[in-house]
Amino acid sequence: KAGVTQTPRYLIKTRGQQVTLSCSPISGHRSVSWYQQTPGQGLQFLFEYFSETQRNKGNFPGRFSGRQFSNSRSEMNVSTLELGDSALYLCASSLEGGRGYGYTFGSGTRLTVV
Amino acid sequence: SQQGEEDPQALSIQEGENATMNCSYKTSINNLQWYRQNSGRGLVHLILIRSNEREKHSGRLRVTLDTSKKSSSLLITASRAADTASYFCATEVFGGATNKLIFGTGTLLAVQP
């Protein structure tokens, strides 16, 4: 079966702009989680969507938002970009939101803010 | 903030040797998972151990879990150059709106051919 697809792979944006990242989960998986990875803070949970509803949210400012569509594809949006938003953004797909069955991660989108 | 701390931060060994990395966490968990990451790419799920399990094997991987000490270890036996990667432990806690992975700081493993 196809894996988790994240697009685009790389992105360069200017401070103040906004960006939208996309994640297509494994077919049949209803949960999509997003994580941010930076050298300083490591891997941090952003939010989880399950059946089009945000079920859980990490400790990030409101500039970070997301949504999930009826086909389980998810997008995350970052508005008013700051230099500190430069990171690898990973999405994780799971059947029911982990629950002991593990997650499948995409290859990530590397965002650089200049 | 991260819950897990991993030790060592970096490890360099020769091909064929065993590699052991340790993870400590802070709160009660439902399970602990190990992931591998190659050169800033996506995370690959390696193995999951539930809180009522003490040891688990998968191929060349052996994971132990000590919930009384809130710690876990990952052993990779007979390492290969292809095992060169960063390894992360991640804890999962079920219940309500708290279902998410909390990652450790990672161990960078370099296997010299």
Side-chain angles (χ1 to χ4, degrees):
Chain A
K1 54 185 177 182
V4 179
T5 303
Q6 287 189 248
T7 57
R9 287 295 310 280
Y10 301 93
L11 210 46
I12 301 175
K13 289 287 188 178
T14 304
R15 265 182 306 176
Q17 288 186 315
Q18 74 166 20
V19 67
T20 299
L21 313 181
S22 178
C23 173
S24 293
I26 289 172
S27 178
H29 283 193
R30 295 191 292 167
S31 168
V32 174
S33 302
W34 289 88
Y35 291 82
Q36 181 197 63
Q37 185 178 26
T38 60
Q41 297 299 315
L43 282 152
Q44 296 193 85
F45 173 78
L46 279 158
F47 28 64
E48 184 214 4
Y49 285 86
F50 182 83
S51 292
E52 302 179 63
T53 301
Q54 187 182 86
R55 196 161 64 170
N56 197 0
K57 191 177 192 307
N59 189 26
F60 278 82
R63 299 185 298 105
F64 291 81
S65 63
R67 59 179 176 168
Q68 187 179 35
F69 302 95
S70 58
N71 62 357
S72 292
R73 188 177 72 86
S74 177
E75 289 181 346
M76 68 163 280
N77 184 78
V78 188
S79 62
T80 319
L81 284 165
E82 300 176 0
L83 295 179
D85 297 332
S86 295
L88 179 67
Y89 290 88
L90 295 163
C91 83
S93 163
S94 64
L95 197 57
E96 295 283 336
R99 301 276 167 181
Y101 294 97
Y103 295 78
T104 303
F105 282 79
S107 296
T109 293
R110 184 163 296 282
L111 171 65
T112 302
V113 182
V114 297
Chain B
S1 63
Q2 290 175 318
Q3 171 171 238
E5 294 289 330
E6 291 184 57
D7 169 59
Q9 286 188 327
L11 180 62
S12 181
I13 59 175
Q14 297 294 126
E15 223 170 11
E17 293 181 337
N18 295 342
T20 299
M21 47 205 89
N22 305 293
C23 166
S24 61
Y25 57 92
K26 298 175 183 173
T27 65
S28 295
I29 61 173
N30 287 98
N31 65 68
L32 186 143
Q33 305 172 32
W34 286 89
Y35 288 84
R36 184 186 74 223
Q37 184 177 42
N38 290 84
S39 302
R41 301 288 298 272
L43 297 162
V44 175
H45 182 262
L46 295 175
I47 194 165
L48 181 152
I49 185 165
R50 293 183 166 81
S51 60
N52 60 354
E53 298 176 308
R54 291 297 166 256
E55 187 171 313
K56 201 161 183 180
H57 296 254
S58 177
R60 295 183 298 112
L61 306 180
R62 173 178 168 255
V63 170
T64 62
L65 179 65
D66 186 335
T67 52
S68 67
K69 295 181 179 177
K70 291 187 170 57
S71 67
S72 173
S73 68
L74 172 68
L75 168 68
I76 304 174
T77 60
S79 63
R80 307 165 181 168
D83 294 328
T84 295
S86 291
Y87 291 82
F88 294 90
C89 66
T91 55
E92 186 172 34
V93 179
F94 304 160
T98 62
N99 200 62
K100 61 184 178 183
L101 291 176
I102 300 177
F103 284 90
T105 49
T107 292
L108 178 60
L109 173 66
V111 182
Q112 311 297 332

